[in-house]
C-alpha cells in the first residue's frame, strides 16, 4: 500500500515559488501580478476563484444532480481565462528524477519545479493491480484485492485534493467480450450496449468506477470532484472501443450508457465527463464531432495530441495543435463547456531521450507560447502529460524530462510561466453556487443503432426519454402506421422504454427500414427515427475481400468501414460505368476515397470491419482494381495476419485505371512493427487475417521528389474495387506471367484513359526503397498490448506503445494494437499509451 502524504510537500516544506504563486493568485483577482517582486497589471490569471472567474450562475453540466463542488469545478474549468492547470498521469506513482523512483512519494514535476502539479491523472487499470499504486498479489486480483486498490486510489485522490490539485481518471478497460487487453480489438461495443450479450461484464467495470467515485471523500465526507475520461481516443483504432471496431452511433450510445449508468443507476454525483478524441484535425470540427455523444452527456471537450514530427523543431506540430485547440475552444464557448488538452507529449522518434540529449530543447515552452499567444486556444483549462514509467534503452518512456537536462530546464521555464497554474498546496477550493441548466425534454432510439443490420429481422427497440415523463410511446416502421408499443423496462436500471418487432419475410431483402419513434409527454410529442438494414448482406465468395456490391447505401458502407484521420464522409460508394468495368471493376459499385491533407495532414484511410478472422491461406496473390489520380502519394494496402502487420505499396504515380496484382512476396512487415521485422507473409499466417485496411500517406519529405519541382496535390480521389485473392495473376491460368487481367483484360500499366497497355506485363507493384520510406508522422496514436497479467502500460504512441511493469518498469515494445487498427501506414515506431 502506498502511504497517503499528510504534508503538502516532503518534510512539510513549502517552496518559496509556491508561496509567491499563491500570493500572485490573490493579486491576479485585482488585475495585478507579482513579477520579480514588482506589482504589475496582470495579463494572465492564475487558478480562478469562483468569484473572480464566474461568468454565469448556471452550468451546462451532464449530471444535473451533481454535487455543488462538482458544479463549481465545472464552472472554474469553463471560466479559465489564460490560467492553465498542468499535470501528469501517475503524477507521483512513477518518477525518474527522484531517489524514490516508483515508490509513490516522488514526483518528477516536483523534482524539477519544487511544486506539485495541479492535475493528477489516474487509471482504472490500477483498480485491478495492473498499474501502481494498485497491487496484484500472485498475478490475480479478486474482489477483495480490487476493494483494497480502490481504497488506495481514494487515498491518492484525497492527497491530490489536499494539495489543491484536480484528479482526472481514464479507463484502459480489458476487452469485456474476449477478456484480452485494452488493445484486443475483438469486436465488443455492439455486444455491451443495452440488451447486449456481454453487457453484464461491462457493468462490472462500471460498478468498480462507481465504488471509486463514491469513496473519494474528504475527511468531513464531502465528495471530491473527478474528471472522468471514458472511451478516449476513439477515433484511433488501437482500442476495442475505437475506430474500425464500432460505428459512430455505437460509440455514442456506449458513451451515453456509461454516463447514464453511473449517474442514474449507481448514483455517482461527483464526476465530470470528458470527451477526448485524438488529434490533429486541422481545425476541422466536423471530424472532432464525428462521434460526439451530445451536450447532455459531455462536460469537458478534451483533446489528445502527441508530437511525432521534426526532431529538431516542433513548430509545425505546435501550429496544428493550436489550430485544433482554438477551434475546440470556440466550440466550448458556444456550448458553455470547458476545454482541455487531456493528453500531450513527445512521441515516436521524439520520445524524451534517456540521456537528456534532446535536439528540440525548447519543446515545452514552444508549445505553451503557441497556445497562449492564440486568442482562443489560450482559454483551455488544463493540459496533462502521460506517465514517467521509465525503463531503459529502447523501452525508455517518460514524458517529463529528467532533472539536470536541457529539456528539464525548459520544463521549469514552462511551469514558471504566469499562464501555468501549479497546485496551491492547500485544499482545493470548490466554493460557489451554480445551478445546472434545465434539462431539455428529449427522446431517442438507443438500440438498434443507426445503420445496424438485423439478418433475421427480430428487433428489440429501446428508447431513452430525458427531461420529461412519457405517458405513452410507440414506434412504426416505414410508411406502415401500425403502432408497436413501448413500455417501461426494469432491465438496465429502468433507463429505457422497450418494445419488440419481427420484420416480415418480404422485408428481409438486404434493404433499409426506417423506425419512427413517437413519445407522448407532458412537454408534448417527442419523435426520433433511425435506419436499419434488414436481411443478410449477399454472400461473397471465399476469395473476395470486398466487391462493394452488398451495401445498400453510404451509411451501410460506413457501418462496415472505419475511417481513420478523416470524417466518415471521406468514403462513399461510386457507381461503376462501362469504362470502369472494362478496366477491371466488377459489379455495380466501387469504393471512392476522398482525401484532404489540407484539412487533416499526415494520412487517412479506411479499415474493413471483419467479422472474426478470415482464412485466406489458399491464395498467393491479392488483386484490386485501382483508379489512380496520379498524385504519387504513398498508397498502403495493409493487413494483419498471424499477429503481424504487413504492407504493400501500389504506385499512384500515374493516373488511370488498372487491376493491380500483388504477390505475397511483395508484402513486408510494416516499418514500425520492429518486433516482427523480417516476418514473411505465408499461408500459415493467412489462416488468421484479422484486419484489412487501405491508407493514403501525405509525406513528400520522405518520398522521392516529383519531377520538374512539382508537389503532390493536397486533395484528391482514388477509387478501389474488386479486392480479391487468387492463385497467380487472375486471367493467366495461375502461371503468374501477366498475360491477362481479371475478366480477360490485359493487366498492363496506366495509360491515363482507363484502358490497359498492350505490353501484357504483370502489373505487380514493387516499390523502390524510397517508396517504402516512412512518410511524415501522423497525429494518430497506436496502442500496445497488456493482455498478460501483471503488466502495466507505458504511454503508447503511433504506431506502437511501450509496456512498463509496475514498480520495476520493465518495458516491451508492442504492436498488437496497430496491427488491429491499421495504423501502420509505414509510420515511424513510437512508444506511448493513453
Amino acid at each position: 500500500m502506498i502511504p497517503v502524504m499528510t504534508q503538502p510537500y516532503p518534510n512539510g516544506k513549502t517552496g518559496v515559488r509556491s508561496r509567491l504563486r499563491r500570493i500572485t493568485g490573490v493579486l491576479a483577482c485585482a488585475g495585478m501580478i507579482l513579477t520579480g517582486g514588482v506589482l504589475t497589471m496582470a495579463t494572465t490569471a492564475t487558478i480562478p476563484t469562483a468569484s473572480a472567474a464566474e461568468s454565469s450562475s448556471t452550468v451546462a453540466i451532464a449530471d444535473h444532480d451533481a454535487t455543488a463542488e462538482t458544479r463549481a469545478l465545472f464552472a472554474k474549468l469553463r471560466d479559465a481565462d489564460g490560467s492553465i492547470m498542468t499535470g501528469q498521469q501517475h503524477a507521483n506513482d512513477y518518477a525518474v528524477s527522484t531517489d524514490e523512483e516508483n515508490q509513490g512519494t516522488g514526483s518528477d514535476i516536483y523534482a524539477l519545479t519544487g511544486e506539485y502539479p495541479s492535475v493528477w491523472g489516474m487509471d482504472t487499470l490500477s483498480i485491478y493491480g495492473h498499474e501502481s499504486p494498485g497491487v496484484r498479489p500472485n498475478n490475480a486480483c479478486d474482489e477483495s484485492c480490487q476493494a483494497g486498490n480502490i481504497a488506495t486510489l481514494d487515498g491518492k485522490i484525497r492527497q491530490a485534493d489536499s494539495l489543491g490539485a484536480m484528479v482526472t481518471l481514464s479507463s484502459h478497460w480489458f476487452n469485456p467480450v474476449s477478456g484480452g487487453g485494452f488493445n484486443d480489438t475483438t469486436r465488443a461495443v455492439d455486444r455491451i450496449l443495452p440488451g447486449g450479450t456481454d453487457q453484464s461484464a461491462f457493468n462490472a467495470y462500471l460498478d468498480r468506477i462507481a465504488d471509486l467515485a463514491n469513496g473519494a471523500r474528504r475527511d468531513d465526507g464531502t465528495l471530491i470532484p473527478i474528471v472522468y475520461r471514458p472511451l478516449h481516443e476513439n477515433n484511433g483504432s488501437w482500442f476495442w472501443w475505437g475506430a474500425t471496431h464500432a460505428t459512430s452511433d455505437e460509440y455514442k450510445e456506449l458513451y451515453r450508457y456509461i454516463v447514464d449508468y453511473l449517474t442514474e443507476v449507481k448514483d455517482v454525483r461527483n464526476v465530470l465527463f470528458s470527451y477526448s478524441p485524438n488529434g490533429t484535425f486541422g481545425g476541422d470540427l466536423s471530424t472532432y464531432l464525428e462521434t460526439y455523444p451530445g451536450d447532455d452527456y459531455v462536460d469537458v471537450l478534451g483533446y489528445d495530441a502527441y508530437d511525432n514530427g521534426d526532431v529538431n523543431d516542433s513548430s509545425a506540430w505546435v501550429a496544428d495543435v493550436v489550430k485544433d485547440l482554438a477551434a475546440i475552444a470556440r466550440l466550448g464557448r458556444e456550448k458553455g463547456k470547458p476545454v482541455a488538452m487531456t493528453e500531450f507529449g513527445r512521441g515516436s522518434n521524439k520520445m524524451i531521450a534517456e540521456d537528456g540529449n534532446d535536439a528540440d530543447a525548447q519543446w515545452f515552452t514552444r508549445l505553451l507560447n503557441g497556445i497562449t499567444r492564440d486568442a482562443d486556444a489560450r482559454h483551455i483549462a488544463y493540459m496533462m502529460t502521460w506517465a514517467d514509467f521509465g525503463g531503459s534503452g529502447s523501452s525508455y518512456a517518460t514524458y517529463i524530462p529528467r532533472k539536470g537536462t536541457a529539456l528539464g530546464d525548459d520544463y521549469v521555464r514552462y511551469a514558471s510561466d504566469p499562464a501555468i497554474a501549479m497546485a496551491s498546496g492547500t485544499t482545493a477550493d470548490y466554493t460557489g453556487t451554480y445551478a445546472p441548466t434545465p434539462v431539455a425534454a428529449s427522446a431517442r432510439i438507443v438500440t438498434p443503432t443507426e445503420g445496424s443490420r438485423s439478418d433475421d429481422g427480430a428487433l428489440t427497440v429501446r428508447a431513452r426519454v430525458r427531461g420529461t415523463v412519457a405517458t405513452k410511446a410507440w414506434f412504426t416502421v416505414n410508411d406502415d402506421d401500425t403502432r408497436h408499443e413501448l413500455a417501461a423496462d426494469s432491465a438496465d436500471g429502468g433507463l429505457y422504454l422497450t418494445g419488440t418487432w419481427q420484420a416480415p419475410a418480404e422485408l428481409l431483402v438486404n434493404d433499409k427500414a426506417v423506425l419512427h419513434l413517437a413519445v407522448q409527454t407532458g412537454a408534448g410529442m417527442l419523435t426520433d427515427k433511425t435506419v436499419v438494414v434488414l436481411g443478410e448482406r449477399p454472400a461473397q465468395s471465399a476469395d473476395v475481400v470486398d466487391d462493394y456490391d452488398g451495401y445498400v447505401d453510404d451509411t451501410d458502407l460506413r457501418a462496415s468501414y472505419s475511417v481513420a484521420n478523416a470524417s466518415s464522409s471521406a468514403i462513399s460508394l461510386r457507381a461503376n460505368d462501362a469504362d470502369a468495368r472494362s478496366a477491371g471493376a466488377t459489379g455495380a459499385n466501387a469504393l471512392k476515397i476522398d482525401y484532404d491533407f489540407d484539412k487533416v495532414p499526415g494520412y487517412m484511410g479506411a479499415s474493413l470491419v471483419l467479422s472474426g478472422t478470415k482464412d485466406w491461406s489458399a491464395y498467393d496473390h491479392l488483386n484490386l482494381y485501382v483508379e489512380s489520380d496520379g498524385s504519387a502519394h504513398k498508397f498502403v494496402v495493409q493487413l494483419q495476419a498471424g499477429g503481424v502487420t504487413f504492407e504493400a505499396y501500389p504506385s499512384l504515380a500515374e493516373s488511370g485505371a488498372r487491376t493491380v496484382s500483388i504477390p505475397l512476396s511483395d508484402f513486408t512487415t510494416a516499418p514500425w512493427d520492429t518486433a516482427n521485422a523480417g516476418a514473411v507473409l505465408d499461408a500459415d499466417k493467412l489462416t488468421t487475417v484479422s484486419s484489412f485496411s487501405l491508407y493514403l500517406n501525405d509525406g513528400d519529405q520522405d518520398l522521392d521528389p516529383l519531377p520538374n519541382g512539382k508537389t503532390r496535390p493536397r486533395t484528391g480521389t482514388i477509387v478501389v474495387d474488386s479486392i480479391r485473392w487468387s492463385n497467380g495473376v487472375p486471367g493467366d491460368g495461375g502461371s503468374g506471367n501477366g498475360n491477362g487481367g481479371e475478366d480477360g483484360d490485359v493487366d498492363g500499366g496506366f495509360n491515363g484513359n482507363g484502358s490497359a497497355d498492350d505490353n501484357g506485363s504483370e502489373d505487380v507493384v514493387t516499390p523502390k526503397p524510397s517508396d517504402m520510406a516512412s512518410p511524415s508522422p501522423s497525429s494518430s496514436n497506436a496502442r500496445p498490448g497488456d493482455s498478460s497479467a501483471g503488466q502495466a502500460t507505458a504511454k503508447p504512441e503511433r504506431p506502437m506503445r511501450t509496456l512498463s511493469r509496475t514498480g520495476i518498469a520493465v518495458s516491451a515494445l508492442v504492436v498488437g494494437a496497430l496491427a488491429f487498427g491499421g495504423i501502420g501506414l509505414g509510420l515511424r515506431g513510437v512508444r506511448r499509451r493513453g
Side-chain angles (χ1 to χ4, degrees):
M1 299 283 287
I2 305 300
V4 176
M5 293 179 61
T6 58
Q7 299 290 340
Y9 298 99
N11 303 318
K13 296 179 181 177
T14 302
V16 172
R17 183 170 165 265
S18 177
R19 291 197 298 272
L20 291 175
R21 183 62 61 82
R22 290 199 295 276
I23 295 170
T24 302
V26 175
L27 296 174
C29 295
M32 295 180 290
I33 192 165
L34 184 64
T35 305
V38 178
L39 289 177
T40 60
M41 293 305 296
T43 56
T44 58
T46 57
I47 300 177
T49 64
S51 59
E54 182 175 346
S55 62
S56 173
S57 60
T58 61
V59 286
I61 195 169
D63 178 14
H64 290 76
D65 294 320
T67 65
E69 292 77 17
T70 306
R71 296 196 300 270
L73 173 59
F74 179 100
K76 290 186 177 188
L77 295 176
R78 178 198 63 193
D79 299 337
D81 186 12
S83 176
I84 304 172
M85 295 190 296
T86 194
Q88 184 175 28
Q89 185 76 0
H90 289 293
N92 71 339
D93 300 316
Y94 298 89
V96 296
S97 292
T98 75
D99 294 333
E100 299 164 327
E101 181 176 350
N102 297 338
Q103 298 304 307
T105 55
S107 164
D108 280 335
I109 292 178
Y110 182 82
L112 285 167
T113 68
E115 298 181 75
Y116 273 105
S118 50
V119 180
W120 292 21
M122 304 171 68
D123 195 273
T124 54
L125 280 173
S126 299
I127 294 176
Y128 305 93
H130 289 294
E131 286 184 350
S132 187
V135 297
R136 191 175 177 83
N138 301 318
N139 239 6
C141 194
D142 58 16
E143 289 188 12
S144 176
C145 166
Q146 293 167 27
N149 287 337
I150 288 171
T152 301
L153 292 171
D154 281 332
K156 287 285 198 177
I157 295 172
R158 283 192 294 275
Q159 179 188 1
D161 180 65
S162 72
L163 296 173
M166 180 190 77
V167 168
T168 72
L169 178 70
S170 56
S171 284
H172 289 82
W173 286 301
F174 278 24
N175 190 306
V177 172
S178 68
F182 51 78
N183 68 293
D184 178 345
T185 52
T186 301
R187 193 165 173 84
V189 173
D190 57 341
R191 294 171 61 177
I192 59 176
L193 287 172
T197 56
D198 294 273
Q199 185 185 11
S200 60
F202 188 64
N203 286 351
Y205 289 157
L206 298 179
D207 290 343
R208 300 291 79 76
I209 294 170
D211 293 341
L212 176 66
N214 287 327
R217 296 176 181 269
R218 292 175 176 170
D219 292 341
D220 64 1
T222 301
L223 285 165
I224 300 169
I226 299 168
V227 176
Y228 181 40
R229 194 164 55 104
L231 306 178
H232 67 299
E233 298 179 6
N234 65 291
N235 55 321
S237 300
W238 40 90
F239 295 139
W240 55 260
W241 58 84
T244 304
H245 322 303
T247 67
S248 294
D249 274 9
E250 287 172 343
Y251 173 84
K252 292 176 187 177
E253 285 302 339
L254 183 60
Y255 190 107
R256 293 165 181 159
Y257 178 73
I258 291 169
V259 176
D260 282 339
Y261 185 86
L262 289 176
T263 58
E264 303 304 319
V265 179
K266 303 300 292 187
D267 200 31
V268 171
R269 301 300 176 189
N270 59 325
V271 167
L272 299 178
F273 296 91
S274 174
Y275 169 71
S276 303
N278 188 69
T280 58
F281 297 105
D284 179 16
L285 288 177
S286 66
T287 301
Y288 179 81
L289 294 171
E290 181 94 24
T291 52
Y292 184 63
D295 293 347
D296 290 342
Y297 287 91
V298 172
D299 294 310
V300 178
L301 300 178
Y303 172 78
D304 294 6
Y306 285 81
D307 181 7
N308 266 15
D310 189 333
V311 295
N312 299 305
D313 185 359
S314 56
S315 299
W317 177 79
V318 168
D320 288 338
V321 166
V322 170
K323 187 176 183 180
D324 285 350
L325 286 175
I328 300 169
R330 291 191 293 271
L331 180 69
R333 188 161 58 243
E334 173 189 323
K335 294 179 177 293
K337 305 283 187 182
V339 173
M341 197 171 187
T342 40
E343 284 186 38
F344 77 100
R346 294 164 54 127
S348 186
N349 56 317
K350 291 202 71 169
M351 282 293 295
I352 294 176
E354 186 174 5
D355 61 6
N357 293 323
D358 289 289
D360 190 2
Q362 296 179 330
W363 189 88
F364 285 98
T365 52
R366 183 178 288 119
L367 173 60
L368 182 62
N369 289 338
I371 292 171
T372 57
R373 289 170 183 170
D374 185 273
D376 294 311
R378 68 187 297 271
H379 293 287
I380 66 172
Y382 65 90
M383 51 198 302
M384 185 186 78
T385 64
W386 206 243
D388 281 356
F389 286 114
S392 61
S394 61
S395 63
Y396 182 77
T398 67
Y399 296 86
I400 299 295
R402 285 184 183 272
K403 186 176 182 179
T405 64
L407 191 61
D409 293 341
D410 186 60
Y411 187 86
V412 173
R413 290 189 293 272
Y414 158 89
S416 301
D417 191 283
I420 292 297
M422 304 294 280
S424 66
T426 59
T427 304
D429 177 17
Y430 297 130
T431 58
T433 302
Y434 301 91
T437 55
V439 182
S442 64
R444 74 176 192 277
I445 296 174
V446 174
T447 60
T449 55
E450 181 82 13
S452 61
R453 178 182 291 270
S454 174
D455 290 345
D456 61 7
L459 297 180
T460 297
V461 177
R462 292 174 179 81
R464 177 83 165 105
V465 179
R466 301 187 78 214
T468 187
V469 176
T471 57
K472 192 174 184 62
W474 65 89
F475 68 93
T476 59
V477 182
N478 293 332
D479 296 328
D480 186 347
D481 293 333
T482 302
R483 294 184 176 184
H484 307 279
E485 301 293 331
L486 296 168
D489 190 345
S490 61
D492 303 312
L495 294 171
Y496 309 113
L497 304 173
T498 65
T500 60
W501 176 64
Q502 175 59 58
E506 60 266 24
L507 293 183
L508 301 179
V509 290
N510 188 40
D511 203 356
K512 295 183 292 185
V514 182
L515 307 182
H516 301 274
L517 172 68
V519 182
Q520 287 181 350
T521 74
M525 182 69 75
L526 302 175
T527 62
D528 190 29
K529 67 179 180 179
T530 193
V531 177
V532 297
V533 182
L534 301 176
E536 297 182 3
R537 182 174 289 130
Q540 299 179 136
S541 60
D543 62 327
V544 173
V545 177
D546 209 342
D547 59 15
Y548 302 101
D549 291 328
Y551 303 109
V552 299
D553 59 12
D554 289 343
T555 299
D556 191 23
L557 171 75
R558 293 163 187 162
S560 297
Y561 274 82
S562 171
V563 177
N565 217 38
S567 167
S568 63
S569 61
I571 64 169
S572 58
L573 295 173
R574 198 285 310 267
N576 287 327
D577 58 17
D579 287 342
R581 286 191 292 272
S582 69
T586 60
N589 297 316
L591 173 67
K592 180 172 173 277
I593 304 175
D594 298 308
Y595 62 89
D596 186 344
F597 293 136
D598 285 326
K599 181 178 291 185
V600 184
Y603 77 98
M604 64 83 61
S607 299
L608 176 62
V609 178
L610 299 177
S611 55
T613 58
K614 299 293 185 181
D615 183 350
W616 284 316
S617 58
Y619 311 106
D620 58 21
H621 278 65
L622 180 67
N623 313 281
L624 63 159
Y625 168 82
V626 180
E627 291 180 18
S628 170
D629 61 356
S631 64
H633 285 300
K634 188 173 184 180
F635 181 33
V636 183
V637 178
Q638 184 188 91
L639 55 88
Q640 189 199 39
V644 181
T645 303
F646 294 95
E647 296 179 346
Y649 311 99
S651 174
L652 298 179
E654 300 179 55
S655 61
R658 63 171 173 175
T659 293
V660 176
S661 188
I662 309 172
L664 296 189
S665 58
D666 274 10
F667 281 92
T668 59
T669 54
W672 48 264
D673 192 353
T674 55
N676 293 299
V680 175
L681 181 60
D682 54 20
D684 181 61
K685 288 186 176 60
L686 283 174
T687 58
T688 52
V689 178
S690 54
S691 72
F692 181 88
S693 306
L694 301 170
Y695 288 97
L696 287 170
N697 281 6
D698 167 32
D700 282 9
Q701 68 271 32
D702 292 311
L703 301 177
D704 277 346
L706 296 180
N708 303 321
K710 293 183 179 179
T711 59
R712 292 173 176 81
R714 307 296 297 163
T715 62
T717 298
I718 69 167
V719 175
V720 176
D721 193 14
S722 313
I723 307 174
R724 63 195 315 152
W725 293 92
S726 67
N727 282 309
V729 178
D732 68 356
S735 65
N737 60 13
N739 61 6
E742 188 173 44
D743 299 331
D745 292 326
V746 175
D747 187 18
F750 289 115
N751 64 11
N753 61 10
S755 62
D757 294 334
D758 60 2
N759 59 13
S761 62
E762 181 182 4
D763 192 12
V764 176
V765 177
T766 303
K768 301 182 294 297
S770 59
D771 293 330
M772 299 179 68
S774 297
S776 175
S778 76
S779 298
S780 75
N781 303 309
R783 304 287 156 171
D786 187 18
S787 57
S788 59
Q791 283 181 322
T793 51
K795 185 75 179 167
E797 302 208 355
R798 26 183 194 274
M800 73 189 149
R801 305 272 173 114
T802 304
L803 284 166
S804 251
R805 175 64 185 114
T806 299
I808 59 175
V810 177
S811 301
L813 295 177
V814 183
V815 296
L818 286 189
F820 279 96
I823 295 294
L825 325 185
L827 300 183
R828 299 181 180 94
V830 290
R831 304 180 298 278
R832 183 175 87 76
R833 180 190 57 77

